[in-house]
Amino acid sequence: MNQPNAITLAEQYGANNYHPLDIVLTRGEGAWVWDDAGNKYLDCLAAYSAVNQGHCHPRIVQALVDQASQLTLTSRAFHNDQLGPFLEKLCRVTGFDKALVMNTGAEAVETAIKAVRKWGYKVKGVPSDRAEIIVCADNFHGRTTTIVGFSTEPQYRDGYGPFTPGFKVIPFGDARALRKAMKPRTVAFLVEPVQGEAGINVPPDGYLAAAREICDQNDALFILDEIQTGWGRTGKLFAFEHEDIRPDGVTVGKAMSGGLYPVSAFLASEDVMEVFHPGDHGSTFGGNPLASAVGMAALDVPVEEDLPGRSAELGAWFIDRLRAIDSPHVAEVRGKGLFVGVELKESSGSARPFCERLKDAGILCKETHEQVIRFAPPLVVEKEALEWALPRIEKVLTS
Ligand SMILES: *Cc1c(COP(=O)(O)O)cnc(C)c1O
């Protein structure tokens, strides 16, 4: 099928809730993708960090194919032979006691919200229906009605009210604001360790450690959303490892399956997860054998191929090289590991035309928050590929 056709069909029959670049992809391998005309591109979005392991990683593909002809879905009404080993591996690799497996990131966040509220009522003793969760301005935690209810992005909320109460918004990266916002009925602080969709916002050093301490002092749970930052993206397996702390719970998704299948989870300590009893929560597809087999294979890759190490090393070098570009358009280059945002000056307009020119130069990026170009390639990317990309990026940023 040629390109106008695929695009026309999507536009004619699909809801108009996305504005993709004008390109039809047909194949992917490692950090590279191909369009329907056979052109090759370096993927610098990695499906919003869902393909950290690279497109169609052979080992994950094999696990998917093998399991697909064996058993795919039982529902949780019965045990299956893949879920137990998957949960064990997930806990061993991440250091958490327990995992509750769902499908999408938003569902993992919803699960975390349910868990901390229930913990608040059953363990902390918060009066019924009074629980409050502290969140940050410019957060992105997904698109369900509860979650967009505490978004500060007007477009994500417009037309979707009334919203779920019980959320308090404070500025991101501000430990004093967190301390001030704590109340006896606060059950948790939910935050991204680096804000992805807001434009790769890195908080000040020590922020997560301070938040850990403030949550402890106020008997509140500290929950990190590592759906985008997890699995090596920021140069550690989890971004919280940069500050040598552990949250009480973490939401994971995206690269948890290497992009082959939707797999997400809420990981937590025993004292949080034990609030759930049979019938309290669930999902038809959550923890299915196909997801579990894919998840197990996908978890091996960051560890065995040292994706966190690659991200740390290549990311530091790449950020330096981007900062060295003398561009009239760039206001700031920031990031952690291969999680990089190039913020354009107000006067340079939207990032969209820059992303379109990058596409024409063979580099796929997507604007985030109008003024920021995100560079987050699969973590298997070769240094040579980034070296190939840099002069092309420079040309686009200086023209
Ligand atoms: C992508 C993302 C989500 C939502 O994940 P979906 O799979 O799209 O529901 C939640 N939190 C963060 C930090 C994300 O980046």
Coordinates of all heavy atoms in Angstrom, one line a residue, residues 28-97:
G28 N 11.0 -2.3 11.2 CA 12.0 -1.8 12.2 C 13.0 -2.8 12.6 O 12.7 -4.0 12.7
E29 N 14.2 -2.3 12.9 CA 15.3 -3.2 13.3 C 16.2 -2.4 14.2 O 16.8 -1.5 13.7 CB 16.0 -3.9 12.1 CG 16.9 -5.0 12.5 CD 17.7 -5.6 11.3 OE1 17.1 -5.7 10.2 OE2 18.9 -5.9 11.5
G30 N 16.4 -2.8 15.4 CA 17.3 -2.0 16.3 C 16.8 -0.6 16.4 O 15.7 -0.3 16.7
A31 N 17.7 0.3 16.2 CA 17.4 1.8 16.3 C 16.8 2.3 15.0 O 16.5 3.5 14.9 CB 18.6 2.6 16.7
W32 N 16.7 1.5 13.9 CA 16.3 2.0 12.6 C 14.9 1.5 12.2 O 14.5 0.5 12.6 CB 17.3 1.5 11.6 CG 18.7 2.0 11.9 CD1 19.7 1.3 12.6 CD2 19.3 3.2 11.4 NE1 20.8 2.1 12.7 CE2 20.6 3.2 12.0 CE3 18.9 4.2 10.6 CZ2 21.5 4.3 11.7 CZ3 19.7 5.3 10.4 CH2 21.0 5.3 10.9
V33 N 14.2 2.4 11.4 CA 12.9 2.0 10.9 C 12.9 2.4 9.4 O 13.7 3.3 8.9 CB 11.8 2.7 11.6 CG1 11.6 2.2 13.0 CG2 12.0 4.2 11.7
W34 N 12.0 1.7 8.6 CA 11.9 2.0 7.2 C 10.5 2.4 6.8 O 9.6 1.9 7.4 CB 12.3 0.7 6.4 CG 13.8 0.4 6.4 CD1 14.6 0.7 5.4 CD2 14.5 -0.2 7.4 NE1 15.9 0.3 5.7 CE2 15.9 -0.3 6.9 CE3 14.3 -0.7 8.7 CZ2 16.9 -0.8 7.7 CZ3 15.3 -1.3 9.4 CH2 16.6 -1.3 8.9
D35 N 10.4 3.3 5.9 CA 9.0 3.7 5.4 C 8.6 2.9 4.2 O 9.4 2.0 3.7 CB 8.9 5.2 5.2 CG 9.7 5.7 4.0 OD1 10.2 4.8 3.2 OD2 9.8 6.9 3.8
D36 N 7.4 3.1 3.7 CA 6.8 2.3 2.6 C 7.5 2.6 1.3 O 7.3 1.9 0.3 CB 5.3 2.5 2.5 CG 4.9 3.9 2.4 OD1 5.8 4.8 2.4 OD2 3.7 4.2 2.3
A37 N 8.4 3.6 1.2 CA 9.2 3.8 0.0 C 10.6 3.3 0.1 O 11.4 3.4 -0.8 CB 9.2 5.3 -0.3
G38 N 10.8 2.6 1.3 CA 12.1 2.0 1.5 C 13.2 2.9 2.1 O 14.3 2.5 2.2
N39 N 12.8 4.1 2.4 CA 13.7 5.1 3.1 C 14.0 4.6 4.5 O 13.1 4.2 5.2 CB 13.2 6.5 3.1 CG 12.9 7.0 1.7 OD1 13.7 7.0 0.8 ND2 11.7 7.5 1.5
K40 N 15.2 4.8 5.0 CA 15.7 4.4 6.3 C 15.8 5.6 7.2 O 16.3 6.7 6.8 CB 17.0 3.7 6.1 CG 17.6 3.1 7.3 CD 19.0 2.5 7.0 CE 19.7 2.0 8.2 NZ 21.0 1.4 7.9
Y41 N 15.4 5.5 8.4 CA 15.4 6.6 9.4 C 16.0 6.1 10.7 O 15.7 4.9 11.2 CB 14.0 7.1 9.7 CG 13.3 7.6 8.5 CD1 12.5 6.7 7.7 CD2 13.3 8.9 8.2 CE1 11.8 7.2 6.6 CE2 12.5 9.4 7.1 CZ 11.8 8.5 6.3 OH 11.1 9.0 5.2
L42 N 16.7 7.0 11.4 CA 17.1 6.7 12.8 C 15.9 7.1 13.7 O 15.4 8.2 13.7 CB 18.3 7.5 13.2 CG 18.9 7.2 14.6 CD1 19.4 5.8 14.7 CD2 20.0 8.2 14.9
D43 N 15.4 6.1 14.5 CA 14.2 6.4 15.3 C 14.7 7.1 16.6 O 15.3 6.4 17.5 CB 13.5 5.1 15.6 CG 12.3 5.3 16.5 OD1 12.0 6.4 16.9 OD2 11.7 4.3 16.9
C44 N 14.5 8.3 16.8 CA 14.9 9.1 18.0 C 13.8 9.3 19.0 O 13.9 10.1 19.9 CB 15.6 10.4 17.6 SG 17.3 10.1 17.1
L45 N 12.7 8.5 18.8 CA 11.6 8.6 19.8 C 11.4 7.3 20.5 O 11.1 7.3 21.7 CB 10.3 9.0 19.0 CG 9.0 9.1 19.9 CD1 9.2 10.3 20.9 CD2 7.8 9.3 19.1
A46 N 11.7 6.2 19.8 CA 11.6 4.8 20.4 C 10.2 4.6 21.0 O 10.1 4.1 22.1 CB 12.7 4.6 21.4
A47 N 9.2 5.0 20.2 CA 7.8 4.9 20.7 C 7.7 5.3 22.2 O 7.2 4.6 23.0 CB 7.3 3.4 20.6
Y48 N 8.1 6.6 22.4 CA 8.1 7.2 23.8 C 8.8 6.3 24.8 O 8.2 6.1 25.9 CB 6.6 7.4 24.2 CG 5.9 8.4 23.2 CD1 5.1 7.9 22.2 CD2 6.0 9.8 23.4 CE1 4.5 8.8 21.3 CE2 5.4 10.7 22.5 CZ 4.6 10.2 21.5 OH 4.0 11.0 20.6
S49 N 9.9 5.7 24.4 CA 10.7 4.9 25.3 C 10.1 3.5 25.5 O 10.5 2.8 26.4 CB 11.1 5.5 26.6 OG 11.8 6.7 26.4
A50 N 9.2 3.0 24.7 CA 8.7 1.7 24.8 C 9.6 0.7 24.1 O 9.5 -0.5 24.4 CB 7.3 1.6 24.2
V51 N 10.5 1.1 23.1 CA 11.4 0.2 22.5 C 12.8 0.5 22.8 O 13.7 0.5 21.9 CB 11.1 0.1 20.9 CG1 9.9 -0.6 20.6 CG2 11.1 1.5 20.3
N52 N 13.1 0.6 24.1 CA 14.5 0.8 24.6 C 15.4 -0.4 24.1 O 16.6 -0.2 23.8 CB 14.5 0.8 26.1 CG 13.9 2.1 26.7 OD1 13.6 3.0 25.9 ND2 13.9 2.2 28.0
Q53 N 14.8 -1.6 24.0 CA 15.6 -2.7 23.5 C 15.8 -2.8 22.0 O 16.5 -3.7 21.5 CB 14.8 -4.0 23.9 CG 14.6 -4.2 25.4 CD 13.4 -3.6 26.0 OE1 12.8 -2.6 25.4 NE2 12.8 -4.1 27.1
G54 N 15.3 -1.8 21.3 CA 15.4 -1.8 19.8 C 14.2 -2.5 19.2 O 13.5 -3.3 19.8
H55 N 13.9 -2.1 18.0 CA 12.7 -2.6 17.3 C 12.9 -4.1 17.0 O 14.0 -4.5 16.6 CB 12.5 -1.9 15.9 CG 11.9 -0.5 16.1 ND1 10.6 -0.3 16.3 CD2 12.6 0.7 16.2 CE1 10.4 1.0 16.5 NE2 11.6 1.6 16.4
C56 N 11.9 -4.9 17.3 CA 11.9 -6.3 16.9 C 13.1 -7.1 17.5 O 13.8 -7.8 16.7 CB 11.8 -6.5 15.4 SG 10.3 -5.8 14.7
H57 N 13.4 -6.8 18.7 CA 14.6 -7.6 19.3 C 14.4 -9.1 19.1 O 13.4 -9.6 19.6 CB 14.7 -7.2 20.8 CG 16.0 -7.6 21.4 ND1 16.3 -9.0 21.6 CD2 17.1 -6.9 21.7 CE1 17.5 -9.0 22.1 NE2 18.0 -7.8 22.2
P58 N 15.3 -9.7 18.5 CA 15.1 -11.1 18.1 C 14.7 -12.0 19.3 O 13.9 -12.9 19.1 CB 16.5 -11.6 17.6 CG 17.3 -10.4 17.3 CD 16.6 -9.2 18.1
R59 N 15.3 -11.8 20.4 CA 15.0 -12.7 21.6 C 13.6 -12.5 22.1 O 12.9 -13.4 22.5 CB 16.0 -12.3 22.6 CG 15.8 -13.0 23.9 CD 17.0 -12.7 24.8 NE 16.9 -13.4 26.0 CZ 17.8 -13.5 26.9 NH1 19.0 -12.9 26.6 NH2 17.7 -14.2 28.0
I60 N 13.1 -11.2 22.0 CA 11.7 -11.0 22.5 C 10.7 -11.5 21.5 O 9.7 -12.0 21.8 CB 11.5 -9.5 22.8 CG1 12.7 -8.9 23.6 CG2 10.2 -9.2 23.6 CD1 12.6 -7.4 23.9
V61 N 11.1 -11.3 20.2 CA 10.2 -11.8 19.1 C 10.1 -13.3 19.2 O 9.0 -13.8 19.1 CB 10.8 -11.4 17.7 CG1 10.0 -12.1 16.6 CG2 10.7 -9.9 17.5
Q62 N 11.2 -14.0 19.5 CA 11.1 -15.4 19.6 C 10.2 -15.8 20.8 O 9.4 -16.8 20.6 CB 12.6 -16.0 19.8 CG 12.7 -17.5 19.6 CD 12.3 -17.9 18.2 OE1 12.8 -17.4 17.2 NE2 11.3 -18.8 18.1
A63 N 10.3 -15.2 21.9 CA 9.5 -15.5 23.0 C 8.0 -15.3 22.7 O 7.2 -16.1 23.1 CB 9.9 -14.6 24.2
L64 N 7.7 -14.2 21.9 CA 6.3 -13.9 21.6 C 5.8 -15.0 20.6 O 4.7 -15.6 20.8 CB 6.3 -12.6 20.8 CG 4.9 -12.2 20.3 CD1 4.2 -11.2 21.3 CD2 4.9 -11.6 19.0
V65 N 6.6 -15.4 19.6 CA 6.2 -16.4 18.6 C 6.0 -17.8 19.3 O 5.0 -18.4 19.1 CB 7.2 -16.5 17.5 CG1 7.0 -17.7 16.6 CG2 7.2 -15.2 16.7
D66 N 6.9 -18.1 20.2 CA 6.9 -19.4 20.8 C 5.6 -19.5 21.7 O 4.9 -20.5 21.7 CB 8.1 -19.7 21.7 CG 9.3 -19.9 20.9 OD1 9.2 -20.2 19.7 OD2 10.4 -19.9 21.5
Q67 N 5.4 -18.5 22.5 CA 4.2 -18.5 23.4 C 2.9 -18.4 22.7 O 1.9 -19.0 23.1 CB 4.4 -17.4 24.5 CG 3.4 -17.5 25.6 CD 3.4 -18.8 26.4 OE1 4.5 -19.3 26.7 NE2 2.3 -19.3 26.8
A68 N 2.9 -17.6 21.5 CA 1.6 -17.4 20.8 C 1.0 -18.7 20.3 O -0.2 -18.8 20.2 CB 1.9 -16.4 19.7
S69 N 1.8 -19.7 20.0 CA 1.3 -20.9 19.5 C 1.0 -21.9 20.7 O 0.6 -23.0 20.4 CB 2.2 -21.6 18.5 OG 3.5 -21.7 19.0
Q70 N 1.3 -21.5 21.9 CA 1.2 -22.4 23.0 C -0.1 -22.1 23.8 O -0.9 -22.9 24.0 CB 2.5 -22.2 23.9 CG 2.7 -23.3 24.9 CD 3.0 -24.7 24.2 OE1 3.7 -24.7 23.2 NE2 2.5 -25.7 24.8
L71 N -0.1 -20.9 24.3 CA -1.3 -20.4 25.2 C -1.2 -18.9 25.3 O -0.1 -18.4 25.6 CB -1.2 -21.1 26.6 CG -2.3 -20.8 27.5 CD1 -3.6 -21.4 27.1 CD2 -2.0 -21.3 28.9
T72 N -2.3 -18.2 25.1 CA -2.2 -16.7 25.1 C -3.0 -16.1 26.2 O -2.6 -15.1 26.8 CB -2.6 -16.1 23.8 OG1 -4.0 -16.5 23.5 CG2 -1.7 -16.6 22.6
L73 N -4.2 -16.7 26.5 CA -5.0 -16.0 27.5 C -5.9 -17.0 28.3 O -6.5 -17.9 27.7 CB -5.9 -15.0 26.8 CG -6.8 -14.1 27.7 CD1 -6.0 -13.3 28.6 CD2 -7.7 -13.3 26.8
T74 N -5.8 -16.9 29.6 CA -6.6 -17.8 30.4 C -7.6 -17.0 31.3 O -8.5 -17.6 31.9 CB -5.7 -18.6 31.4 OG1 -5.0 -17.7 32.2 CG2 -4.7 -19.5 30.6
S75 N -7.3 -15.7 31.4 CA -7.9 -14.9 32.4 C -7.3 -15.3 33.7 O -6.7 -16.4 33.8 CB -9.4 -14.9 32.5 OG -9.9 -16.0 33.3
R76 N -7.5 -14.5 34.7 CA -6.9 -14.8 36.0 C -7.8 -15.7 36.8 O -7.6 -16.0 38.0 CB -6.6 -13.5 36.8 CG -5.6 -12.6 36.2 CD -4.2 -13.2 36.3 NE -3.7 -13.4 37.6 CZ -3.2 -12.5 38.5 NH1 -3.0 -11.3 38.0 NH2 -2.8 -12.9 39.7
A77 N -8.9 -16.3 36.2 CA -9.7 -17.3 36.9 C -8.9 -18.6 37.1 O -9.3 -19.4 38.0 CB -11.0 -17.5 36.0
F78 N -7.9 -18.7 36.3 CA -7.0 -19.9 36.4 C -5.6 -19.5 36.5 O -5.2 -18.4 35.9 CB -7.2 -20.9 35.2 CG -8.7 -21.1 34.9 CD1 -9.2 -20.6 33.7 CD2 -9.5 -21.8 35.8 CE1 -10.6 -20.8 33.4 CE2 -10.9 -22.0 35.5 CZ -11.4 -21.5 34.3
H79 N -4.7 -20.3 37.0 CA -3.3 -20.0 36.9 C -2.8 -20.3 35.6 O -3.4 -21.2 34.9 CB -2.5 -20.8 38.0 CG -2.7 -20.3 39.4 ND1 -2.0 -19.3 39.9 CD2 -3.4 -20.8 40.4 CE1 -2.3 -19.1 41.1 NE2 -3.2 -20.0 41.5
N80 N -1.7 -19.6 35.1 CA -1.0 -20.1 33.9 C 0.5 -20.3 34.3 O 0.9 -19.7 35.2 CB -1.2 -19.1 32.8 CG -0.5 -17.8 32.9 OD1 0.7 -17.7 32.9 ND2 -1.2 -16.7 33.2
D81 N 1.2 -21.0 33.5 CA 2.5 -21.4 33.8 C 3.6 -20.3 33.6 O 4.7 -20.4 34.0 CB 3.0 -22.7 33.1 CG 3.1 -22.4 31.6 OD1 2.5 -21.4 31.1 OD2 3.7 -23.2 30.9
Q82 N 3.2 -19.2 33.0 CA 4.1 -18.1 32.7 C 4.1 -17.0 33.7 O 5.1 -16.3 34.0 CB 3.8 -17.5 31.3 CG 3.9 -18.4 30.2 CD 5.3 -19.0 30.0 OE1 6.3 -18.2 29.9 NE2 5.5 -20.3 30.0
L83 N 3.0 -16.7 34.4 CA 2.8 -15.5 35.2 C 3.7 -15.6 36.5 O 4.4 -14.7 36.8 CB 1.4 -15.3 35.6 CG 1.1 -14.1 36.6 CD1 1.6 -12.8 36.0 CD2 -0.4 -14.0 37.0
G84 N 3.7 -16.8 37.1 CA 4.5 -16.9 38.4 C 6.0 -16.6 38.1 O 6.6 -15.7 38.8
P85 N 6.6 -17.3 37.1 CA 8.0 -17.0 36.8 C 8.2 -15.5 36.4 O 9.3 -15.0 36.8 CB 8.3 -18.0 35.7 CG 7.3 -19.1 35.8 CD 6.1 -18.4 36.4
F86 N 7.3 -14.9 35.7 CA 7.4 -13.5 35.3 C 7.4 -12.6 36.6 O 8.3 -11.8 36.7 CB 6.3 -13.2 34.4 CG 6.3 -11.7 33.9 CD1 7.5 -11.1 33.6 CD2 5.1 -11.0 33.8 CE1 7.4 -9.7 33.2 CE2 5.1 -9.7 33.4 CZ 6.2 -9.0 33.1
L87 N 6.5 -12.9 37.5 CA 6.4 -12.0 38.7 C 7.7 -12.2 39.5 O 8.3 -11.2 40.0 CB 5.2 -12.5 39.6 CG 3.9 -12.1 39.0 CD1 2.8 -12.8 39.8 CD2 3.6 -10.6 38.9
E88 N 8.2 -13.4 39.6 CA 9.4 -13.7 40.3 C 10.6 -12.9 39.7 O 11.4 -12.2 40.4 CB 9.7 -15.2 40.4 CG 10.9 -15.6 41.3 CD 12.2 -15.6 40.6 OE1 12.3 -15.8 39.4 OE2 13.2 -15.5 41.3
K89 N 10.7 -13.0 38.4 CA 11.8 -12.3 37.7 C 11.7 -10.8 37.9 O 12.7 -10.1 38.1 CB 11.8 -12.7 36.2 CG 13.0 -12.1 35.5 CD 13.0 -12.6 34.0 CE 14.2 -13.5 33.7 NZ 14.2 -13.9 32.4
L90 N 10.5 -10.3 37.7 CA 10.2 -8.8 37.9 C 10.6 -8.3 39.3 O 11.3 -7.3 39.4 CB 8.7 -8.6 37.7 CG 8.1 -7.3 37.4 CD1 8.9 -6.6 36.2 CD2 6.6 -7.5 37.0
C91 N 10.3 -9.1 40.3 CA 10.7 -8.7 41.7 C 12.2 -8.8 41.9 O 12.8 -7.9 42.5 CB 9.9 -9.5 42.7 SG 8.1 -9.0 42.7
R92 N 12.8 -9.9 41.4 CA 14.2 -10.1 41.6 C 15.0 -9.0 40.9 O 15.9 -8.4 41.4 CB 14.6 -11.5 41.0 CG 16.0 -11.8 41.3 CD 16.3 -13.3 41.1 NE 15.5 -13.9 40.0 CZ 15.9 -13.8 38.7 NH1 17.0 -13.1 38.4 NH2 15.2 -14.4 37.8
V93 N 14.6 -8.6 39.6 CA 15.4 -7.6 38.9 C 15.2 -6.2 39.5 O 16.1 -5.4 39.5 CB 14.9 -7.7 37.4 CG1 15.5 -6.5 36.6 CG2 15.4 -8.9 36.7
T94 N 14.0 -5.9 40.0 CA 13.7 -4.6 40.4 C 13.9 -4.4 41.9 O 14.0 -3.2 42.4 CB 12.3 -4.2 40.1 OG1 11.4 -5.0 40.8 CG2 12.0 -4.3 38.6
G95 N 13.9 -5.5 42.7 CA 14.1 -5.3 44.1 C 12.8 -5.0 44.9 O 12.9 -4.8 46.1
F96 N 11.7 -5.0 44.2 CA 10.4 -4.9 45.0 C 9.9 -6.2 45.4 O 10.2 -7.3 44.9 CB 9.4 -4.1 44.1 CG 9.7 -2.7 43.9 CD1 10.5 -2.2 42.9 CD2 9.3 -1.7 44.9 CE1 10.8 -0.9 42.7 CE2 9.6 -0.4 44.8 CZ 10.4 0.0 43.7
D97 N 9.0 -6.2 46.5 CA 8.5 -7.4 47.0 C 7.4 -8.1 46.2 O 7.3 -9.3 46.1 CB 7.8 -7.2 48.4 CG 8.8 -6.6 49.4 OD1 10.0 -6.9 49.3 OD2 8.3 -5.9 50.3

